Each structure stands twice: as structure tokens, then as C-alpha cells.
Amino acid sequence: MRLCCLLNVGRASVASSILPWSFEPTMHSEIIYDVLVVGGGNAALCAAISARLTGSTVLVLEAAPQALRGGNSRHTRNLRCMHEGPADLLTGSYPLSEYFKDLLQVTGGRTNEKLALMTLRESSNCQEWMRQKGVRFQRALGGTLHLSRTNAFFLGGGKALLNAYYRAAAAMGVEIEYDAEVRGLDIRDGRFHSATVLRDGGTRTVRARALVAASGGYQGNLEWLKEVWGDAADNFIIRGTPYDTGTVLRGLMDCGVKTAGDPAQCHAVAVDARSPRFDGGIVTRVDCVSLGIVVNRDALRFYDEGEDFWPKRYAVWGRLIAEQPDQIAHAIIDAKSMGLFVPPLYPPHQAGSLPELAALLTLAPEALERTVAAFNASVQPGTFDHAVLDDNKTEGLNPPKSHWARPLDTPPFFAYPLRPGITFTYLGVEVDEKARVVMKDDKPAENVFAAGEIMAGNILGQGYLAGIGMTIGTVFGRIAGEEASRVVHG
Amino acid sequence: MSTVDSVPLLQLLKDGERAMQICNACRYCEGFCAVFPAMERRLSFSPKDLTYLANLCHDCRECLYSCQYAPPHEFGLNLPKVMAGLRRETYRKFAWPSFVVNILGQTGPALVLSLLLSPALFFLGMFVFHGPGAVFSAHSVEEGSFYRVLSHGAMVGGFGFVGLFVLVAFAMEFRNFWRGTGGRADSWLDARAMGRAIRDSLNLRYLGGGDDQGCAYPDERASSTRRWYHHLTFYGFSLCFASTTLAAIYHNFLGWKAPYELMSLPVVLGVVGGLGLVAGPLGLLRLKSIQDPEPADPLQRRMDIAFLVLLLLTSGTGLLLLALRETAAMGVILAVHLGVVMGLFLTMPYGKFVHGIYRFGALIRFAKEERES
Ligand SMILES: Cc1cc2nc3c(=O)[nH]c(=O)nc-3n(C[C@H](O)[C@H](O)[C@H](O)COP(=O)(O)OP(=O)(O)OC[C@H]3O[C@@H](n4cnc5c(N)ncnc54)[C@H](O)[C@@H]3O)c2cc1C
Ligand code: SF4
Ligand code: SF4
């Protein structure tokens, strides 16, 4: 058998270093599944369930152990849904036109319009489908009330959602294997034959009549990140799962599948520098940037902290910090701002004076004092109001602070060290409206489908809209599952 | 003692503070229960805050299964377990008089007292004062037959005294809790807050998982079984209590002497309540035997079981007494029943029963905070 695209880009730490990697599968399974789903997150489970509901036998291969299953989806909290009127727990209405406008704005138009419109339209019936599978919803969370109109929140968050999906899938007879990493794909001329799986220290071949690739981005793969971002990637913190290594994505690319999404882009936010390298999730974010100033290693400011509301700006700060020397920055506030933001996980550094704070942060004290003095001197009188774009701004300062600029003059001073926290990478495979991957010759593959982060780049060429990741995964997961069944059963 | 102290309070408080810091930055479980909204009003978590929050927690366990930071994640967060540990400490810390909890707060002594000592004393009393003839002979359901084996004065005197003591103990414990968690007196004047706290207690709202689909007990699936068994237990107990109170009124104010007819109100209430108090604790014991141990506090388990067993024996012997009250076994069963009831009462202020008192206090506080925010 010719395995056209076996890969060696896997997470070195997990598998390839433990095992002498053998290209010769050690075991052949007699079973031929109708649909093989690779991945164990939202998109994978949606695909598996809908393939099963349309009459296919389904095997799910999840690289993570059971207790850590669910990829980045386990860190999520909501999905963005179009709705014409108050729906369930969603307030007001969020019509297609507005949703699409929002999408165009964040992507700067870099989106496949046809796929995007289909996704947004389909988002209106996601909630109903999800409920039927046991997913529970709740009102918008404290601190995220601005999303109560557009985003449906999962009761208990993404892990609770996944638990419901896994239970539903198991109940309907979907087979699930954990600790099962797909390391190779046999795809010839746009037709999938089998996958090579690494499990229990051995490899085996799994045959299926159709493949759904729902294995996320490659942000968990440090070597790949370094290929793109150089040594700066050594200082990146990966907010989600270490199991999203892009092995399958690379495999598909090697098999001649066309890519979508910017290869040099990732979604990154500012997270606490003390966070775990992987899987720190939502709690590592720091939400006080707009209330104070942010300085780099040289104690210099580098961007307008008050440019816009934090929810609209939090995603630019990851990239901004990644561009700073040593990829480190510090958000500094004074006593006036304590309590005005969701308290972060790690306690702030705290000091009675700026030089003392500088010492704690290993910044040059004079440099920090200079930066703060210049900032304080340029703050114009105004009325502070964090709920609106207020008139508290700086004058004659570069970069300026456009809103919520209050002098840092009330001790104690607090600082949170920041690093770039990577949410996901944008590079993915191109798909058509049936979720079939598109080959380099622009023809859709016969029986290879993709859903979720691995194809999100079709819709998100760049930028991000809170909650659309889960929407894309749910919509395309369902389509991929159904279409895979259709290919199998005709 | 050594086992009870094996996770010292300080460590529990540290774990609780850390858990709340993680949760407060996350908030994904906000929809499950009152703990999270209460947490969100706070930036730091003093021992007082933690004690309040722990007693606000109804142990529905949803937040373990939903938590992306649960073990084996390096944060190793297990909020239900931490909360259960803190609650256990509450039961010790606020007990009144405090030294008694060191004896009766222990499962062994509590059971010995209730199941052996106290019934034996009743039996001895009957034997000494009324003689073996009265105790072992067959009885009729004529008025006052119970008092032939145990004088009414002794019964009222004994139970009146113990009842009063237990009430005082509960009051003191509630006061200790209220002060020890920093509660404010004006909550009591807020009728709406009180109304809500009473409602949320009586329908066990927080065993509903936020959307009334139930809680993650005995395993990760949402289920209402525990809520219903708890209702059977609580309302069964209440009916039994009502039955006894009514009987006391009959006796003391109307001059009607027990035993009462089968269709009389005290008997009907007692039977219905007794059946609830058999089915409820049995169900809860069964759930406990198959529960997922991961979110449970192992040290709390014995206390829970002891309390459930006592409840079960109270109702069981009560029903048995009704069934066999015309036979020669009546005297013995009466002694056992009264002994168990006495033991239950005596150990209540130091056992699992107090969770109701403290949860109610926490719910009052929560309702008040909600109204003010
Ligand atoms: C902290 C955080 C919060 C987020 N919050 C939200 C939110 O609230 N709303 C929202 O819409 N989006 C959110 N996102 C983005 C969201 O997580 C993704 O868009 C979404 O989860 C993608 O789903 P997926 O199923 O495609 O990928 P994942 O959920 O990442 O699943 C990929 C799966 O593939 C498995 N896998 C990978 N490689 C292999 C292999 N070779 N073999 C076998 N299995 C493999 C992984 O183990 C994993 O189970 C958040 C992301 C993060 C990091
Ligand atoms: S228990 Fe876990 S998921 Fe729930 S709020 Fe706390 S940290 Fe978040
Ligand atoms: S166990 Fe249930 S009641 Fe307790 S904190 Fe968790 S979700 Fe709330």
C-alpha cells in the first residue's frame, strides 16, 4: 500500500520521540467504517452525530486521552447565532444582514461569501439541533453582557457541551477511540482509502468509505509555529489544547488539498505571562489593558490602550506583544482601576511606588517613571466612564490613549505581565458548500470532508468574531457528516 | 479525630481561595447555582466569604464535570470537593456547645448513642418502672396503652427537655454561622429576600442545575432523582414531626390519649410521613452507594450515612410500632423507637442535619445580596 502523505511534523514531545516511528502499519483492522472522523472537538462530534443519524457506521479518533478530550472546544463558552427576534435566551434580534456586515468588517472582506452566508443562515437552527443532543444553554455570562444578543452561551461552557455530545454519540452507536492520533492518510487522486493511527504504542490502519477531518488548527505544534514566527514563538503561550498539532492538516496539504486562510496569521490575545504553556484557556486573559497603560521590556508604551472597547480590541494585543522585544509587556494600573474588570487568575504585582513596581517587573525604574510622567502630563480633563467611549484622552502623546485615560497617580500600583496567547491558527484547507475539501486542481475530493477550525479560514480569512468558531464547526460538522453519509450510501 | 483533621482547615481555605480565583476568572459555571453570582460580587475570598459560599453550594457537582481545569489538568480544580470539605469544617466550627461535637459529631459515638445506649435506657426505664409484665404483654389499642409501659410524664419530660435543648443548639449554631460568615441583621427585615430564600430552600432550586434539568448526581448525567429523594426525606420528616406535634396537642389540650385510630390525623400524617422517611433515605443511601467518588468529600460520607440510617430507623421503627402495637412486641419496639428518636434528636445539632440550617442562612444572605445588586 502506498501511503502518500505520512508526516513527520507531529508533536515531537508526545509521540514521535517515544516511538521508533514505523511507516509499516503493524495491524490491519478488518472493519471498514462508513465514516471516519478525525478529531474529538465540537466539529468532530457534530460530524459524527450527523453521519450516524443519516445511517452511517462511524468511528471517531481522538488524539487526546478521555479526560482531556475535546480540543479547543472544551475551552469555549458560546456560539454566535443569527435570529430574527428574541429567541430562547437571546435578546433582541441579530439578522443575517447585520451578522454578515460584522463578518465583513472583521475579515476586511477576506471571506468566501457563499460559504459565509450559508454558515450564518444555518446558525439560526444550530441551537435547536444542539438541544436535541443534550446541550444546555444559559444566559450571557457576567462580564460578557455585550454578547447577550448575538451569542448563545453553553451552560457550564464547552466541556459540558462536549460531555453532552459524547453521551449522545455513544448512545447512538458512534465508536470513539481516545489516545488515538492519526499520523498518516492514504488519499490518492482525491479519494480517501485509509488512515494510519498511533495508539497504545502501535500503529494500525483504519479503513473507511469517507473521511471527515475535524482536527483543529496547528497551534499546538511548536515547531510549526517556529517555522512561521521564528524564535518569537518560543515565548508564545498556547491557550488551548496541546493535541491540535496540525498533523492531519499537513497531511491533507501534502496530499494535494488546496489551502485557505492566511498561513502567517494566528488569533492571539494578551494573556498573563505566568500562564501554563498549554491549555490555560479563558482564565489566563487579562482585561485591564484599557484601564491603564501597557509598556514593553524597555518600559515604553507601544499602542493606544484605549482605542476601542476592550472586547473589540483584545484580539489585537496578542500580535502587538508578539512584535515587542522578548515578546513581553506589562499592563499597569493604579488603585483607581482595581475592581473595574473581571479579576484575572494570577494576582498582580503590587507596589507603593512606580520605581518599586519597576523593580518587581525588572524594568528600568527611571524609564518607567519617565513613561508614566509623560503619560500623566498629557491626560486631558474629562469624565471617566468605562461603559462608553468617554472623553478621557491624551493630547500630544505618541502613541495616544484615546479613551479612559486617567493619570496613574494613586498607589498602590499594580502590574500584570503579558505574553501573546495563541488561540488558533488561520491556515486551513479549502472546502466547498458540501464541506468537501478542494484539491489543488480546484476539483472537490470525492470522499474527504473538513469541518471546524481546519477549514475556518474559508470564512475567516483574517480577524475574528466572538463565537463564530463554534458556529463554523457546528454548521460544517453537520454538513460534513451528512454529506459523508450521502457519499457512502448514495 | 486524626482522620477529621487530615485535611486541615487552613489547607481547605487555601484550596477554596485558589478555586474561587480560577472560577472568578472563568465563570462558565455561572448558570448552575448561586455560588457563582455570589462569587462574582467579590474580588477576594476571606475565610468568612468561603464559609458562606461553601454552604451556598448544594453539591450538585455539575461544576466538576463541566470544568476544563478538572484533574488531570495541571490546575486540578475540583470545586465540589473543596466546597464539601469546607462545609464539613463549618459543621464542626459552629457547633454548640462546641465540645459536644467532638463526641457526637463522630459517627461511631453518634450511632452507639442512638442505636444502643438510648434504646437500652428506654427499655431499662420501662422495665424498672413498669415491670416485665407490662413490657412484654400483648396490648390493645385502647387509649393510653403506650403509657402503661412508659409514663406520659417521663415521655413528655424527656422529649420536652431534649427538644428544647436541640432548639437552643440550632439557634446558637445559626447565630454562630451568621456571625462567622459576616451576615447582616437587616437581611431579616427584607421580606422579599426572606421569601426567596424560603422558596429556594423548600424546592431545592439549586439541585436543579440552573435549568431545572437536575444535577450531576450520582454521576455526570443531569438527574432529578436526588432532588426527589431529598424531598421525600424532608417532607416525610416534616409530616412525622407534624404528626407528633398534633398528638401532643391532642393529649395536652384535648385530653385524647394515644394510641390513635388508624384514620386519625396523627396516624395518617405519621404513616404518610413515615413512608416518605423510609423511601427518601433509602433512595439517598442507594445513590450514595453508586455515586462517583471523585467530587465527594470522603470524610463527609460517614456522617451522611449515619444521619440517613438514623432517619431510616426512626421511620422504620415508627411504622413497625404502628403495625405491631397490639402485640407483645409493642413494648420493646416502643423502647427502640423512642430510643432512636431520642438519639436522632441528640445528635442532630452535631450531624448532617445542620446542613439545612446553614444552607438556609446562606440562601438568606444570597437573596439579600441579589436584591441589592
Ligand atoms: C480559550 C479559548 C476560548 C474560546 N472561546 C470560544 C468561544 O467562546 N466561542 C467560539 O466560537 N470559539 C471559541 N474559541 C475558538 C474555538 O475553540 C474553536 O473555534 C473551535 O473549538 C474549533 O473546534 P474544532 O472542533 O474545529 O477544533 P478542536 O475543538 O480544537 O478539536 C480538534 C480535535 O482534533 C483532535 N486532533 C488533532 N489532531 C489529531 C490527530 N492527528 N488525530 C486525532 N485527533 C486529532 C484534537 O485532540 C481535538 O480533539 C476559543 C478558543 C480558545 C483557545
Ligand atoms: S468550575 Fe471550572 S469551568 Fe466552572 S467556573 Fe470554575 S473554573 Fe470555570
Ligand atoms: S457543586 Fe453545584 S452547587 Fe456546588 S458550586 Fe458546583 S455548581 Fe454550584
Side-chain angles (χ1 to χ4, degrees):
Chain A
M1 174 193 287
R2 187 175 64 100
L3 294 173
C4 84
C5 40
L6 284 158
L7 324 145
N8 50 15
V9 293
R11 210 165 357 101
S13 59
V14 171
S16 45
S17 62
I18 307 170
L19 275 169
W21 175 245
S22 150
F23 285 133
E24 209 43 60
T26 51
M27 240 165 69
H28 289 267
S29 162
E30 292 311 312
I31 307 169
I32 303 180
Y33 292 92
D34 289 339
V35 179
L36 171 64
V37 177
V38 184
N42 175 56
L45 270 288
C46 288
I49 289 170
S50 73
R52 184 76 193 116
L53 285 176
T54 43
S56 291
T57 56
V58 182
L59 174 67
V60 171
L61 295 175
E62 157 66 305
Q66 180 163 6
L68 296 170
R69 70 189 180 191
N72 276 3
S73 304
R74 63 202 288 280
H75 287 290
T76 64
R77 57 186 176 192
N78 59 36
L79 87 171
R80 187 173 283 252
C81 302
M82 161 201 155
H83 56 109
E84 298 292 355
D88 234 319
L89 298 171
L90 291 168
T91 56
S93 72
Y94 190 45
L96 184 64
S97 54
E98 185 186 352
Y99 198 163
F100 191 54
K101 209 181 86 205
D102 287 346
L103 181 67
L104 286 180
Q105 197 190 344
V106 297
T107 57
R110 287 180 65 177
T111 182
N112 178 327
E113 240 178 70
K114 199 165 135 203
L115 293 185
L117 282 168
M118 181 188 81
T119 308
L120 307 193
R121 229 177 265 123
E122 284 289 304
S123 74
S124 65
N125 60 37
C126 284
Q127 258 186 295
E128 181 53 34
W129 189 89
M130 295 164 76
R131 267 187 209 280
Q132 286 166 5
K133 314 296 170 292
V135 176
R136 298 154 80 185
F137 290 93
Q138 67 176 76
R139 262 165 233 294
L141 297 173
T144 56
L145 295 178
H146 58 283
L147 294 174
S148 61
R149 182 173 66 92
T150 53
N151 290 39
F153 283 73
F154 318 136
L155 181 63
K159 189 170 168 200
L161 164 135
L162 286 160
N163 290 344
Y165 278 158
Y166 274 99
R167 275 197 303 269
M172 54 181 78
V174 170
E175 281 182 47
I176 298 159
E177 285 185 30
Y178 299 102
D179 296 298
E181 190 192 12
V182 169
R183 301 295 302 266
L185 299 171
D186 178 7
I187 298 173
R188 280 165 275 156
D189 307 322
R191 182 165 177 82
F192 166 79
H193 299 276
S194 69
T196 310
V197 189
L198 182 63
R199 190 174 184 223
D200 295 332
T203 58
R204 75 175 207 273
T205 303
V206 173
R207 289 190 287 164
R209 298 187 178 88
L211 171 73
V212 178
S215 48
Y218 70 86
Q219 65 283 343
N221 188 324
L222 299 177
E223 290 102 278
W224 197 341
L225 289 178
K226 276 180 90 160
E227 276 174 35
V228 181
W229 283 277
D231 287 343
D234 280 336
N235 289 321
F236 290 178
I237 283 166
I238 317 304
R239 301 175 69 206
T241 182
Y243 295 94
D244 282 0
T245 52
T247 311
V248 171
L249 169 62
R250 179 68 59 99
L252 291 172
M253 286 159 63
D254 291 351
C255 293
V257 175
K258 218 173 149 183
T259 64
D262 192 335
Q265 284 258 353
C266 62
H267 182 274
V269 307
V271 299
D272 197 297
R274 296 162 289 183
S275 309
R277 186 75 201 262
F278 288 102
D279 245 350
I282 196 77
V283 299
T284 60
R285 79 205 188 290
V286 177
D287 285 348
C288 68
V289 166
S290 61
L291 289 161
I293 63 168
V294 178
V295 300
N296 64 13
R297 183 195 67 185
D298 305 323
L300 297 172
R301 290 176 61 249
F302 50 88
Y303 197 79
D304 183 349
E305 299 90 348
E307 191 179 41
D308 203 341
F309 290 114
W310 180 239
K312 293 195 176 171
R313 275 294 158 270
Y314 77 104
V316 306
W317 281 87
R319 179 180 55 78
L320 290 171
I321 296 167
E323 288 163 0
Q324 299 306 308
D326 296 345
Q327 296 74 49
I328 184 89
H330 305 276
I332 300 176
I333 56 173
D334 69 3
K336 296 194 294 292
S337 299
M338 243 324 154
L340 297 183
F341 54 98
V342 173
L345 171 61
Y346 297 100
H349 294 294
Q350 178 178 343
S353 72
L354 287 168
E356 286 171 78
L357 189 69
L360 290 175
L361 306 175
T362 61
L363 300 177
E366 325 77 59
L368 183 62
E369 278 193 290
R370 228 177 299 126
T371 297
V372 172
F375 172 77
N376 287 354
S378 68
V379 170
Q380 301 301 301
T383 319
F384 174 80
D385 185 350
H386 204 213
V388 299
L389 293 170
D390 73 1
D391 58 353
N392 263 14
K393 57 172 190 256
T394 59
E395 198 66 63
L397 190 69
N398 189 27
K401 184 172 179 189
S402 311
H403 304 283
W404 315 296
R406 290 191 293 179
L408 291 171
D409 55 9
T410 316
F413 300 98
F414 303 96
Y416 295 93
L418 305 175
R419 288 230 183 262
I422 311 300
T423 320
F424 54 81
T425 46
Y426 282 94
L427 178 66
V429 293
E430 188 172 318
V431 294
D432 66 7
E433 71 286 352
K434 291 183 172 172
R436 286 180 300 195
V437 304
V438 177
M439 307 304 289
K440 285 207 178 101
D441 60 8
D442 281 327
K443 287 208 193 91
E446 221 180 299
N447 61 350
V448 184
F449 302 83
E453 207 62 76
I454 196 172
M455 48 63 63
N458 291 267
I459 289 154
L460 287 170
Q462 64 176 41
Y464 189 64
L465 205 49
I468 203 168
M470 292 297 276
T471 304
I472 295 172
T474 308
V475 169
F476 272 89
R478 279 161 30 179
I479 294 174
E482 275 168 31
E483 293 297 331
S485 276
R486 209 185 303 277
V487 166
V488 172
H489 304 295
Chain B
M1 285 300 295
S2 58
T3 51
V4 178
D5 287 336
S6 63
V7 184
L9 180 59
L10 275 180
Q11 185 59 45
L12 279 168
L13 288 169
K14 246 166 84 187
D15 291 349
E17 190 182 7
R18 183 170 160 277
M20 285 292 93
Q21 268 158 359
I22 299 175
C23 292
N24 209 11
C26 168
R27 304 185 170 185
Y28 284 10
C29 293
E30 190 187 72
F32 285 132
C33 72
V35 171
F36 297 92
M39 166 195 82
E40 286 172 26
R41 292 192 194 99
R42 291 164 167 77
L43 289 176
S44 60
F45 300 92
S46 69
K48 284 185 175 188
D49 289 322
L50 288 169
T51 307
Y52 159 56
L53 293 170
N55 284 282
L56 200 50
C57 165
H58 283 53
D59 192 33
C60 81
R61 306 182 171 191
E62 294 279 8
C63 65
L64 173 69
Y65 302 110
S66 302
C67 186
Q68 62 272 31
Y69 304 113
H73 189 281
E74 64 174 279
F75 291 170
L77 186 57
N78 185 338
L79 188 58
K81 192 170 182 168
V82 175
M83 292 307 209
L86 283 167
R87 273 196 304 279
R88 165 167 50 76
E89 284 299 322
T90 310
Y91 304 160
R92 284 167 56 80
K93 193 170 149 208
F94 297 138
W96 185 92
S98 59
F99 71 90
V100 181
V101 77
N102 291 333
I103 308 158
L104 293 187
Q106 301 270 62
T107 312
L111 287 181
V112 168
L113 171 79
S114 316
L115 303 185
L116 292 175
L117 232 52
S118 165
L121 274 177
F122 272 95
F123 192 68
L124 208 68
M126 288 176 188
F127 212 76
V128 170
F129 290 106
H130 302 277
V135 179
F136 292 120
S137 59
H139 297 269
S140 64
V141 279
E142 71 190 271
E143 272 198 4
S145 69
F146 285 171
Y147 308 122
R148 238 164 258 144
V149 291
L150 183 69
S151 81
H152 181 251
M155 199 127 85
V156 170
F159 279 96
F161 178 77
V162 168
L164 212 64
F165 168 76
V166 167
L167 279 184
V168 173
F170 285 161
M172 293 305 286
E173 290 176 340
F174 187 88
R175 191 199 67 146
N176 288 348
F177 173 80
W178 194 256
R179 289 193 180 163
T181 55
R184 285 182 358 226
D186 64 350
S187 310
W188 297 94
L189 303 174
D190 189 332
R192 282 240 199 129
M194 285 300 286
R196 169 154 182 206
I198 291 171
R199 226 175 22 251
D200 290 350
S201 305
L202 291 182
N203 70 14
L204 294 173
R205 170 176 175 169
Y206 295 109
L207 288 187
D211 58 357
D212 250 16
Q213 287 196 24
C215 66
Y217 189 86
D219 59 31
E220 69 158 71
R221 286 168 296 175
S223 155
S224 295
T225 340
R226 180 201 222 171
R227 195 180 188 179
W228 283 112
Y229 282 138
H230 192 291
H231 278 326
L232 282 173
T233 308
F234 176 78
Y235 290 104
F237 182 86
S238 306
L239 287 181
C240 290
F241 196 76
S243 154
T244 313
T245 313
L246 199 64
I249 293 173
Y250 277 14
H251 185 97
N252 293 309
F253 297 100
L254 305 176
W256 303 340
K257 295 207 170 73
Y260 302 107
E261 282 166 38
L262 275 182
M263 288 321 289
S264 66
L265 207 48
V267 174
V268 170
L269 288 178
V271 168
V272 174
L275 289 175
L277 202 52
V278 168
L282 268 182
L284 290 173
L285 280 169
R286 191 188 71 89
L287 292 183
K288 201 165 271 303
S289 72
I290 56 170
Q291 70 162 343
D292 177 2
E294 170 104 357
D297 179 54
L299 298 182
Q300 182 63 44
R301 186 184 163 86
R302 280 190 303 174
M303 194 196 234
D304 294 354
I305 291 177
F307 182 56
L308 287 170
V309 166
L310 274 183
L311 288 175
L312 192 58
L313 285 175
T314 299
S315 53
T317 53
L319 291 173
L320 206 62
L321 184 61
L322 180 70
L324 302 180
R325 62 187 182 175
E326 290 173 55
T327 71
M330 187 276 264
V332 177
I333 296 170
L334 184 65
V336 172
H337 178 64
L338 293 177
V340 170
V341 173
M342 185 65 98
L344 176 73
F345 277 8
L346 277 171
T347 53
M348 270 203 308
Y350 316 102
K352 177 63 182 242
F353 183 86
V354 295
H355 78 280
I357 300 180
Y358 300 145
R359 280 230 171 81
F360 182 54
L363 283 169
I364 295 174
R365 172 108 184 257
F366 176 72
K368 181 68 180 165
E369 285 181 2
E370 283 276 283
R371 298 249 300 132
E372 283 174 354
S373 66

